[in-house]
Amino acid sequence: MRQVRFIVLVTALSCFWGLAQSQKDIDREDALKSIVKVNSYFMEKYSDYTATSNVGRVRPSNIWTRGVYYEGLMALYSILPKEEYYRYAYDWAAFHKWGYRDGTVTRNADDYCAGQTYIDLYRLNQEPVCIRKVRANLDMLVNTPQNDDWWWIDAIQMGMPVFAKLGATLNEPKYWDKMWDMYEYCRNQMAGKGLYNAEDDLWWRDGDFIPPYKEPNGEDCYWSRGNGWVYAALVRVLSEIPADEKHYKDYVEDFMAMTKALVKCQRNDGYWNVSLHDPKNYGGKEVTGTSLFVYGMAWGINNGLLPKDEYLPIITKAWNSITKDCIHENGFLGYVQGTGKEPKDGQPVKYDSMPDFEDYGIGCFLLAGVEVYKIK
């Protein structure tokens, strides 16, 4: 009996110690070291930024997965402006001639995601070539009546910030108007009822997941990373448009509603499950969704939308868990779910499992880390 009590005590102390570790204050310098380490791993392994990927089929290196990585890299450059970061981004963009996989006629947000980085580079060097094709592509979208291109919620993050950034760069509200039309269609009309469920303040990934589709436990399917994409897009849009833009308050309302819904889904160890309302459907640690939620909440604190005393403990628990559990000695990032659209895709998600694409997971992590670093 004494031995049983001892084992129970040791277990309880271990749990307490793990919780205490995850709730320690965030060390900003350690956060910066972590993101630099992970980014260095990626830049060294993928030093040939021109190389195609060959997962199932050949894809160029300017598709959405790499575009998300460069979003993170440009965020890192904003707080640590190393020339090697700028050159790595600039040379990649120049190799692709500042264009997209299917050219300026593409309506696929996965293609024009790269435009976010092209615009960021233009802001640094003012070279017109950086945004000529971005502008041509968005003008085509503005000048045609379709608003239903974003039929899956990942597209909101891939495409929406391009409109926000170009509108701010050129002081052209027409891009913001079209951005709203496409966002509103996806939110409220896509697949007959819209992909946003106001009852839970979360998003179905696409029309395939609108009820009667259910998770094994009977709940709606809210995919973590998919909701993370929307959450990140709202952050990136609100960072660009002025407070008096006609739909600014609508975006803020969605951001705040999602924030409250996401807090309810956080695991005790700080992560979010890949299925937000069904912890047993491939439950476990997962970095991409968790990083995007950290990114959004940290940005909310930094921009005065979220009270620091309420949300910093939530962020701290998540961030400290990621940096403690997921980063290998060489900078490899574990617990990244591979590409897909639902909890079962890209499995298993483990510390040492290699996702089909490494780039977007690191991009999500960099975005989170930079905003965490900014918290004062």
Side-chain angles (χ1 to χ4, degrees), residues 124-354:
L124 292 171
N125 59 43
Q126 295 297 298
E127 296 176 6
V129 67
C130 299
I131 61 168
R132 182 181 70 82
K133 292 177 181 177
V134 175
R135 189 171 186 174
N137 176 249
L138 290 200
D139 282 346
M140 179 269 293
L141 295 173
V142 167
N143 293 327
T144 51
Q146 299 97 312
N147 292 321
D148 59 355
D149 292 326
W150 300 342
W151 55 265
W152 75 111
I153 59 175
D154 313 36
I156 294 175
Q157 198 286 140
M158 307 308 156
M160 195 168 163
V162 184
F163 285 85
K165 283 176 172 287
L166 192 64
T169 301
L170 301 179
N171 193 27
E172 284 278 11
K174 69 179 183 180
Y175 298 112
W176 300 334
D177 293 342
K178 184 66 173 183
M179 173 179 74
W180 169 258
D181 291 342
M182 296 174 74
Y183 175 77
E184 189 277 333
Y185 191 96
C186 180
R187 185 188 191 279
N188 301 327
Q189 301 178 60
M190 182 59 65
K193 63 180 299 182
L195 300 181
Y196 178 72
N197 185 2
E199 293 182 7
D200 291 327
D201 292 316
L202 295 170
W203 296 67
W204 297 296
R205 195 270 181 178
D206 57 52
D208 291 343
F209 297 95
I210 294 175
Y213 184 96
K214 294 292 182 183
E215 289 285 79
N217 70 348
E219 291 282 341
D220 282 11
C221 181
Y222 300 120
W223 182 42
S224 178
R225 188 164 69 234
N227 277 269
W229 291 137
V230 178
Y231 198 52
L234 291 170
V235 164
R236 297 178 72 75
V237 167
L238 290 169
S239 298
E240 297 288 340
I241 63 176
D244 61 355
E245 196 276 334
K246 66 184 72 172
H247 294 293
Y248 181 90
K249 292 181 180 179
D250 296 308
Y251 297 129
V252 169
E253 287 179 6
D254 282 357
F255 172 79
M256 296 299 290
M258 284 192 73
T259 299
K260 293 175 182 177
L262 290 167
V263 168
K264 297 176 184 177
C265 303
Q266 189 180 31
R267 291 158 44 111
N268 290 333
D269 61 5
Y271 297 92
W272 278 263
N273 289 303
V274 292
S275 182
L276 294 176
H277 279 193
D278 189 347
K280 293 184 179 180
N281 189 23
Y282 296 95
K285 301 171 183 177
E286 202 283 311
V287 165
T288 60
T290 298
S291 292
L292 292 168
F293 301 146
V294 168
Y295 170 53
M297 292 181 198
W299 179 89
I301 289 176
N302 291 331
N303 289 273
L305 290 180
L306 300 178
K308 183 177 178 181
D309 59 345
E310 181 179 351
Y311 285 92
L312 184 57
I314 296 167
I315 294 167
T316 300
K317 184 164 62 171
W319 179 254
N320 285 346
S321 292
I322 292 173
T323 54
K324 177 174 68 73
D325 299 341
C326 304
I327 302 174
H328 290 231
E329 187 61 34
N330 67 347
F332 172 74
L333 192 64
Y335 293 109
V336 171
Q337 185 183 16
T339 57
K341 68 176 191 175
E342 59 182 302
K344 71 176 179 61
D345 294 331
Q347 297 289 346
V349 177
K350 298 180 179 179
Y351 174 71
D352 57 356
S353 58
M354 174 67 72

Side-chain angles (χ1 to χ4, degrees), residues 9-37:
L9 176 61
V10 169
T11 301
L13 288 173
S14 297
C15 292
F16 174 78
W17 175 250
L19 182 61
Q21 288 293 99
S22 69
Q23 292 180 340
K24 288 193 308 182
D25 291 341
I26 293 173
D27 185 307
R28 294 178 64 246
E29 292 307 314
D30 282 348
L32 183 58
K33 289 177 182 177
S34 293
I35 56 180
V36 167
K37 180 178 182 177

Side-chain angles (χ1 to χ4, degrees), residues 25-52:
D25 291 341
I26 293 173
D27 185 307
R28 294 178 64 246
E29 292 307 314
D30 282 348
L32 183 58
K33 289 177 182 177
S34 293
I35 56 180
V36 167
K37 180 178 182 177
V38 171
N39 183 65
S40 295
Y41 159 83
F42 183 85
M43 285 181 60
E44 290 170 12
K45 183 174 180 179
Y46 298 92
S47 58
D48 182 4
Y49 49 80
T50 72
T52 58

